[in-house]
Amino acid sequence: MAVRLPDLEAFPPLRAWQRKALVEYLRRRAEDFLAVATPGAGKTTFALRVAAELLADRTVEAVTVVAPTEHLKTQWAAAAARVGIDLDSGFRNADLHSAADMHGVVVTYAQVGMAPQVHRRRTLARRTLVILDEIHHAGDSRSWGDGVRVAFEPAVRRLMLTGTPFRSDDNPIPFVTYEAGGDGLLRSRSDSSYGYGDALREGVVRPVIFLAYSGETRWRTSAGDELAARLGEPMTQDLIAQAWRTALDPAGEWMPQVLRAADARLQVVRAGGMADAGGLVIASDQESARAYGRLIERITGEKAVVVLSDDAGASAKIAAFAGSQERWLVAVRMVSEGVDIPRLAVGVYATSASTPLFFAQAIGRFVRARRPGETASVFLPSVPHLLALASEMEAERDHVLGEPKRREGFDDDLLAQAQRTEQASGELEKRFQALSATAELDQVIFDGASFGAPVRAGTPEEEDYLGLPGLLTPDQVSLLLTKRQAEQLKAQRRQSAQPEPARVVQPSGPRTAGERRIALRRQLNALVAAHHRRTGLPHGKIHAELRRLCGGPPSAQATIEQLEERIARIRDL
């Protein structure tokens, strides 16, 4: 029985980047094609349209989709069915051959790695298009990469998709072309690229507002010493990791205060036009995820949906949440990549993962726009490395082979091992005992710029930022954040000007380094805003140009000297 061909006329209209990429694909007719597009841009729709075109003109007879997770297999099959392409997501390696009345199958990278010859025989049996979703996963282990290469080398066409075309190792990604740069390092080359900045300007994705929370943390080391540190202050990597983990402790006060603020933000977004808006907490391990679920129920009076990979019905839970009105979802890794829940608008980054890859995948869950004006809000610990990643949302990265790797932030190797099993590491637990942690809103990051001065959680000043309307254009977000910051500073000046009769007034001394940094950051943001009004350039591009000219990290982590240099430089622009 001949398999029915998909109806191209029934396809939904393509976005501009999808049309451009499709024209380029059909023009080139190359065996391999790498499409890089930011999460939420519509890579699945683009790939299925390519599949439909190749099936319709009989370039291929079958389609194989390779996805990172079991849940995404189901999601791919459902999306394909909506456009008339029948894919079997239940195919097992033991089946050997796919059903004759299906266009093809959906499998995982792990499945291919376990039996590459099975998939090679299938690929040889019919002219096949292979869609490799989130292709960077093919470099996760040597067996996966080798398996993908063996299984799909005979394919007529290979279409690679990714929203994050970079890895933290030197494992080459199969079928991706690498070209030498001026520095002699090999970089991945994409055939079509559509970044977050492009998608934001065209209204394809939502603007993301990052609310960074600092606070005082106290913990006891394995030697019995009690240590205290302020989250976000300059420290050694070990102290940052321990302060960070102390803040994320479900038994402390930092997480309840941040969850309370995140739920307040979610209620504002719901009342302001996104009635079904949902929130997602990304946890480090299963034990923490369950504890966060209990905290949410205590704070909101409503049960959170907790999704763990051990649950037999994890995929069904995610699908049910996506179509429901429930407020909060808590997960470890199940929702970190590829899962499509467009109503997610508020996130809490309650994990100690710090790699650019994981961060980009996690934030990608919140950027999927459904209509103009929707914004996303992500709450995160005020940790220098995370603040840098938040400030560089629009940065486009490639996979670089042979580049010296820096060990930044938390111990990512240990964390990756913990997250593969979603269990906390026993050795990590022995390092210290969390004692207490308090939360305060340190700064708000948007479009590469930092707004606001530190305010205590639960204060009216915090509510001013949590109460930003949920439906705003990027320009309106910048305008309102600038206004909120000006009002906050004005109120602080009024308060400091009030006489305190009972207090002996001491001669004013020099500002602390922290106060100077806050003042300089505000001054720089005001000058950037003024330059934006003069030129129309986005705030992020102005900050990026200043960094190019002066060097150094984003303004949230810049030193006093670097901030002063940028202030002097922007006055000359």
Side-chain angles (χ1 to χ4, degrees):
M1 181 180 71
V3 182
R4 64 186 176 91
L5 296 176
D7 182 6
L8 295 177
E9 297 299 322
F11 250 82
L14 297 180
R15 291 168 174 160
W17 83 265
Q18 294 167 328
R19 290 196 302 273
K20 183 179 177 182
L22 179 63
V23 168
E24 180 66 12
Y25 183 89
L26 296 176
R27 182 186 69 81
R28 293 184 55 187
R29 297 276 173 179
E31 284 185 3
D32 295 310
F33 192 94
L34 173 61
V36 177
T38 187
K43 293 185 292 294
T44 301
T45 299
F46 163 70
L48 290 174
R49 180 56 188 257
V50 168
E53 294 277 355
L54 298 184
L55 286 168
D57 67 12
R58 303 189 186 279
T59 299
V60 302
E61 302 170 289
V63 176
T64 296
V65 176
V66 188
T69 66
E70 288 291 328
H71 177 75
L72 290 179
K73 285 170 56 177
T74 305
Q75 194 165 289
W76 264 99
R82 288 194 291 271
V83 293
I85 299 175
D86 297 319
L87 300 177
D88 181 8
S89 61
F91 177 83
R92 300 173 302 166
N93 289 344
D95 295 338
L96 299 181
H97 301 287
S98 51
D101 60 346
M102 303 289 285
H103 290 104
V105 302
V106 190
V107 294
T108 64
Y109 286 100
Q111 199 173 341
V112 174
M114 286 189 293
Q117 291 298 336
V118 168
H119 300 278
R120 183 181 180 89
R121 286 193 292 272
R122 286 186 45 260
T123 304
L124 286 166
R126 293 195 284 177
R127 295 193 307 276
T128 300
L129 162 69
V130 179
I131 299 172
L132 295 155
D133 186 25
E134 304 297 354
I135 180 62
H136 52 271
H137 281 287
D140 278 357
S141 70
R142 179 153 192 174
S143 64
W144 286 18
D146 291 347
V148 165
R149 196 177 297 279
V150 167
F152 304 122
E153 184 273 331
V156 173
R157 297 289 180 86
R158 290 175 293 267
L159 173 60
M160 286 83 76
L161 309 173
T162 183
T164 48
F166 51 92
R167 298 182 54 82
S168 57
D169 56 34
D170 283 339
N171 290 343
I173 304 170
F175 307 121
V176 169
T177 300
Y178 290 85
E179 296 178 342
D183 54 6
L185 298 176
L186 295 175
R187 286 176 169 78
S188 58
R189 180 182 63 78
S190 61
D191 300 290
S192 173
S193 183
Y194 187 64
Y196 175 78
D198 298 326
L200 186 59
R201 283 188 290 275
E202 295 177 11
V204 172
V205 295
R206 298 171 182 152
V208 181
I209 304 167
F210 292 97
L211 297 99
Y213 277 73
S214 61
E216 301 295 333
T217 61
R218 289 177 53 249
W219 67 93
R220 182 179 292 114
T221 68
S222 57
D225 299 325
E226 284 194 18
L227 299 179
R230 181 176 175 78
L231 198 65
E233 291 297 311
M235 293 181 280
T236 65
Q237 295 298 334
D238 285 346
L239 289 178
I240 288 174
Q242 293 180 29
W244 187 350
R245 189 165 182 85
T246 301
L248 298 182
D249 179 21
E253 281 303 310
W254 194 92
M255 274 303 299
Q257 288 172 330
V258 170
L259 288 173
R260 200 171 287 114
D263 189 64
R265 178 69 186 144
L266 182 60
Q267 291 182 59
V268 168
V269 172
R270 283 192 161 208
M274 282 182 69
D276 65 341
L280 167 65
V281 179
I282 301 175
S284 290
D285 54 75
Q286 291 189 2
E287 184 180 351
S288 296
R290 295 188 185 97
Y292 295 158
R294 292 190 292 270
L295 278 176
I296 289 171
E297 184 176 4
R298 193 177 79 202
I299 291 167
T300 68
E302 294 183 21
K303 280 194 171 184
V305 178
V306 179
V307 177
L308 306 172
S309 60
D310 288 354
D311 297 341
S315 293
K317 273 188 177 182
I318 294 173
F321 180 85
S324 74
Q325 294 281 328
E326 291 176 289
R327 278 158 71 176
W328 283 100
L329 175 69
V330 184
V332 180
R333 200 173 176 82
M334 288 291 291
V335 196
S336 66
E337 180 178 47
V339 174
D340 189 9
I341 310 177
R343 71 185 189 91
L344 286 178
V346 177
V348 179
Y349 194 87
T351 173
S352 41
S354 66
T355 62
L357 178 61
F358 185 89
F359 187 84
Q361 291 169 351
I363 303 307
R365 299 317 100 215
F366 305 98
V367 302
R368 297 168 187 267
R370 297 178 297 180
R371 57 176 172 146
E374 291 185 344
T375 61
S377 303
V378 177
F379 293 70
L380 74 167
S382 190
V383 174
H385 187 53
L386 290 186
L387 299 181
L389 294 175
S391 298
E392 297 173 342
M393 268 287 288
E394 295 189 25
E396 295 183 16
R397 296 178 173 89
D398 296 312
H399 184 207
V400 183
L401 300 182
E403 183 180 32
K405 302 299 184 291
R406 293 180 298 166
R407 298 185 65 81
E408 298 178 288
F410 202 66
D411 187 341
D412 288 330
D413 293 337
L414 185 58
L415 181 70
Q417 180 182 352
Q419 287 182 326
R420 274 195 291 273
T421 59
E422 296 190 359
Q423 301 292 336
S425 164
E427 287 301 312
L428 197 60
E429 292 291 341
K430 292 175 186 175
R431 290 185 187 177
F432 68 94
Q433 175 191 358
L435 297 177
S436 66
T438 59
E440 70 175 37
L441 178 58
D442 181 37
Q443 59 183 294
V444 178
I445 297 174
F446 179 73
D447 193 21
S450 172
F451 299 86
V455 295
R456 292 280 302 276
T459 61
E461 290 85 357
E462 181 197 39
E463 291 175 9
D464 284 342
Y465 288 100
L466 299 179
L468 288 171
L471 296 177
L472 292 171
T473 65
D475 285 343
Q476 289 172 331
V477 173
S478 293
L479 185 64
L480 272 178
L481 285 173
T482 303
K483 182 181 176 186
R484 288 281 192 277
Q485 178 175 261
E487 291 170 348
Q488 180 188 11
L489 297 176
K490 187 176 179 181
Q492 288 178 351
R493 284 194 295 268
R494 279 199 309 267
Q495 187 176 7
S496 62
Q498 291 176 357
E500 298 181 46
R503 183 178 169 188
V504 178
V505 179
Q506 301 291 341
S508 60
R511 286 178 172 175
T512 67
E515 290 172 336
R516 284 186 64 199
R517 281 189 73 254
I518 290 171
L520 289 170
R521 214 172 63 203
R522 291 197 299 261
Q523 186 180 356
L524 177 61
N525 288 338
L527 290 169
V528 167
H531 194 71
H532 161 72
R533 288 192 291 273
R534 287 196 307 272
T535 64
L537 290 172
H539 290 69
K541 284 198 175 297
I542 301 170
H543 279 283
E545 178 63 12
L546 289 172
R547 288 183 62 199
R548 187 187 69 79
L549 294 171
C550 303
S555 60
Q557 296 82 49
T559 64
I560 288 174
E561 184 179 352
Q562 288 166 336
L563 291 170
E564 289 173 338
E565 184 182 359
R566 292 177 199 181
I567 287 169
R569 197 59 181 259
I570 194 172
R571 284 175 170 153
D572 295 333
L573 291 180

